[in-house]
Amino acid sequence: MSRYFLTTPIYYVTAQPHLGHAYSTITADALARWHRLLGEEVHFLTGTDEHGQKVADKAAAEGKDPQAFVDEIAPLYAKAWDRLGITNDDFIRTTEERHKIGVRELLQRCYDAGDIELDVYKGKYCVACEEYYTDDELDPGDLCRIHRQPVQYYEEENYFFRLSRFQQRLLDWYDAHPGAIKPEFRGNEALGLIRSGLRDFSVSRTSLQWGIPLPWDDKHVAYVWFDALANYITAIGYGTDEERFNTWWPGRHLIGKDIIRHHCVYWPAMLMSAGLEPPAGWAVGGWLLVGGEKMSKTQGNVVNPLDLVDEIGVDGFRYYVLAETPYGNDGDFTAEGLDARYNSDLANNLGNLLSRVATVVGKKCDGVGPAPSPDSPLAAVAASAYADTAKAWDDVQPSRALEATWSLIRATNAYLEANEPWKAEPGPAVDTVMGDALEALRIVSVLASPAVPESAQAVWQRIGMPGNVIDQRLPHAAAWGGYPGGLTVVKGDPLFPRR
Ligand SMILES: [Zn+2]
């Protein structure tokens, strides 16, 4: 059985879960669900990044011990993901023992390989980015371009990872693994970073307390990248359970465009140094902007996804973030856009199809769903909808996948309008049309389940199918003719009441 290990970035606990976190986590969840439908063995990981100066500062400002502080925030993420129907198999916190052991193992291997060396670092440092910058990377007044705040001058003895030694090895690896980064234009960004020359980066701090001490020099604490990136391997047993690690690695990372450098340049080089395989792939998303701006506290435009879920439902929210923006590009979140998507695609298309099918079956077929016709004109539409949906999920393009799935919904609505079964006398002609529509709904519920899991299950049940839609397996479940007929069809309340 093929295995699929998928990760989200781990989220830094200085902020509560917001729309940006929800966007990447929902996208990853939909991918994980799709791959489970394909019958793959899926391991889906998310978690929280809990060390570093910012966390220590924030805890101190609140008069708390850093561990007590992170213990309060991490569960907010777990709860949010629960509310959004996220099916992660594991949740890693970087303050866990399994993680600390694995990080020290990774550091030690890179140190033993000679790729980590002591050096003196002098430079301008943005505390918020946890990154040193050169003058030409800063705005006038020594302002960080991301945080719009002045950087600080630091001079300290650091251990450095000799990234500069890995330029050719990285280029060779990417050359041998075309398409490893999706979409392609984001892959080109990563290659551009590598070609423009690689600087060694600092892997330790002596000024920092809240972190993992280096195994060979405990005056130094591991600095963000070795600590945070390593979660992808420590969670699956690196340093603690080699057999489990070898079962799942290499995995695939879903990331945001702002962390390409760390995930697509630093991380594979770190793994190479430690004698491990680079990741199997990366999918790089854009930002979900709010009113054209990156969400931030200073902009005052932070959107809490859970507020939206209360209003529009889990599936309404999930569908919107997946369908609205081509993955890889920036999207713009608006309340009007959310309502418009909901009304057009969910209420008017899927909801309306289910409701009219259940109504006609109730009136003309005694509430019992007929079997579809093997040579229905919808059979070919369903086959191409499946092929296009599968291709798009494989390309990590949820918006295109949903567009393809919804093409079957639209075709089925048009088929009903052309045949007008609600005007016809009960009999074989009506039965054929309704059997075809029920079969289309059955296939749609399977194909749509990664995006709208609760609604897909509701459709599945209302057309009388037994069991759970998530237990279906593709491609078999998308093959025309699976609706057996003779099942009780239930109308129920509108699945998506219009807004
Ligand atoms: Zn900054």
Side-chain angles (χ1 to χ4, degrees):
M1 186 190 284
S2 78
R3 293 197 176 90
Y4 185 80
F5 171 38
L6 179 69
T7 71
T8 72
I10 50 172
Y11 304 117
Y12 206 40
V13 290
T14 49
Q16 300 207 356
H18 61 55
L19 183 64
H21 302 129
Y23 178 47
S24 54
T25 309
I26 288 171
T27 305
D29 180 66
L31 277 170
R33 288 174 179 271
W34 177 261
H35 283 268
R36 290 191 195 105
L37 286 176
L38 293 178
E40 293 172 28
E41 198 179 342
V42 171
H43 189 68
F44 170 24
L45 172 70
T46 186
T48 41
D49 183 5
E50 305 190 353
H51 287 130
Q53 196 58 50
K54 271 189 289 179
V55 172
D57 290 348
K58 222 167 165 195
E62 293 185 17
K64 285 173 186 151
D65 167 73
Q67 187 66 54
F69 173 78
V70 299
D71 285 348
E72 283 173 21
I73 308 286
L76 300 179
Y77 283 85
K79 252 184 247 167
W81 304 155
D82 195 41
R83 182 80 178 89
L84 291 173
I86 305 301
T87 56
N88 54 299
D89 299 289
D90 194 2
F91 187 103
I92 181 125
R93 299 181 52 191
T94 57
T95 50
E96 287 176 68
E97 203 54 32
R98 59 173 170 160
H99 179 70
K100 295 177 190 170
I101 294 168
V103 167
R104 289 161 67 92
E105 172 78 15
L106 181 67
L107 282 160
Q108 187 70 54
R109 293 247 206 128
C110 296
Y111 184 66
D112 292 346
D115 292 321
I116 293 179
E117 293 173 326
L118 196 60
D119 212 334
V120 174
Y121 205 97
K122 301 172 192 167
K124 292 170 179 173
Y125 181 76
C126 173
V127 176
C129 292
E130 309 206 41
E131 190 96 63
Y132 281 99
Y133 288 111
T134 56
D135 284 335
D136 59 334
E137 291 169 329
L138 295 167
D139 278 348
D142 280 350
L143 294 182
C144 164
R145 284 180 188 163
I146 294 167
H147 293 95
R148 322 297 315 165
Q149 62 190 27
V151 294
Q152 298 172 20
Y153 185 80
Y154 273 17
E155 183 172 327
E156 61 176 340
E157 215 174 41
N158 280 184
Y159 284 95
F160 277 78
F161 180 77
R162 298 303 188 197
L163 183 67
S164 53
R165 294 175 187 161
F166 287 83
Q167 183 176 28
Q168 196 54 50
R169 286 173 71 183
L170 286 168
L171 290 173
D172 290 346
W173 189 88
Y174 278 112
D175 204 39
H177 298 83
I181 301 174
K182 291 172 178 168
E184 192 184 3
F185 77 99
R186 295 292 181 197
N188 292 337
E189 280 180 43
L191 289 175
L193 291 173
I194 299 168
R195 288 197 191 102
S196 69
L198 299 178
R199 274 189 295 169
D200 298 341
F201 65 90
S202 164
V203 304
S204 75
R205 291 287 182 279
T206 49
S207 51
L208 179 68
Q209 303 296 319
W210 181 238
I212 302 170
L214 301 190
W216 63 89
D217 185 347
D218 63 10
K219 293 194 302 297
H220 288 257
V221 159
Y223 168 66
V224 54
W225 305 119
F226 263 84
D227 187 333
L229 291 166
N231 91 87
Y232 303 129
I233 57 174
T234 64
I236 50 169
Y238 182 73
T240 53
D241 184 345
E242 288 308 293
E243 196 186 324
R244 184 154 177 267
F245 171 70
N246 290 324
T247 300
W248 290 108
W249 192 254
R252 292 166 192 277
H253 304 312
L254 194 129
I255 64 172
K257 67 175 186 179
D258 50 332
I259 49 178
I260 288 180
R261 178 189 297 276
H262 314 107
H263 280 76
C264 306
V265 184
Y266 290 13
W267 178 229
M270 289 156 60
L271 291 161
M272 286 173 178
S273 171
L276 302 172
E277 258 186 83
W282 297 257
V284 183
W287 283 337
L288 203 49
L289 307 172
V290 178
E293 300 269 1
K294 183 160 201 250
M295 203 169 33
S296 77
K297 259 189 205 147
T298 42
Q299 296 285 353
N301 63 351
V302 174
V303 174
N304 181 342
L306 301 189
D307 295 343
L308 298 165
V309 169
D310 289 341
E311 215 182 297
I312 203 157
V314 173
D315 285 354
F317 178 60
R318 287 175 62 107
Y319 183 82
Y320 172 76
V321 300
L322 292 167
E324 186 73 5
T325 304
Y327 190 73
N329 297 353
D330 286 343
D332 196 12
F333 177 92
T334 62
E336 301 74 41
L338 183 66
D339 282 347
R341 271 281 165 194
Y342 177 94
N343 282 331
S344 69
D345 295 4
L346 298 179
N348 293 353
N349 269 299
L350 178 54
N352 188 36
L353 176 60
L354 176 67
S355 145
R356 74 209 305 197
V357 167
T359 301
V360 175
V361 170
K363 284 188 183 153
K364 312 272 176 175
C365 314
D366 294 327
V368 178
S373 151
D375 47 10
S376 166
L378 288 178
V381 180
S384 75
Y386 170 63
D388 294 347
T389 300
K391 168 80 167 65
W393 282 116
D394 192 50
D395 291 341
V396 193
Q397 287 296 329
S399 65
R400 289 214 319 262
L402 293 171
E403 182 63 34
T405 299
W406 255 248
S407 71
L408 178 55
I409 298 173
R410 280 189 287 270
T412 308
N413 272 321
Y415 176 69
L416 291 177
E417 274 146 29
N419 285 283
E420 299 186 310
W422 41 83
K423 287 187 181 166
E425 288 302 312
V430 169
D431 287 353
T432 301
V433 171
M434 297 322 293
D436 292 351
L438 284 159
E439 171 62 345
L441 273 171
R442 184 193 66 81
I443 293 171
V444 162
S445 67
V446 176
L447 300 186
S449 67
V452 289
E454 287 183 5
S455 312
Q457 180 62 25
V459 172
W460 186 258
Q461 280 171 352
R462 289 190 194 185
I463 65 173
M465 292 299 291
N468 294 313
V469 68
I470 60 168
D471 295 329
Q472 306 313 306
R473 290 295 170 260
L474 294 169
H476 174 77
W480 188 262
Y483 187 74
L487 305 177
T488 300
V489 174
V490 178
K491 181 148 196 295
D493 292 332
L495 206 50
F496 302 104
R498 272 189 68 88
R499 291 173 57 82

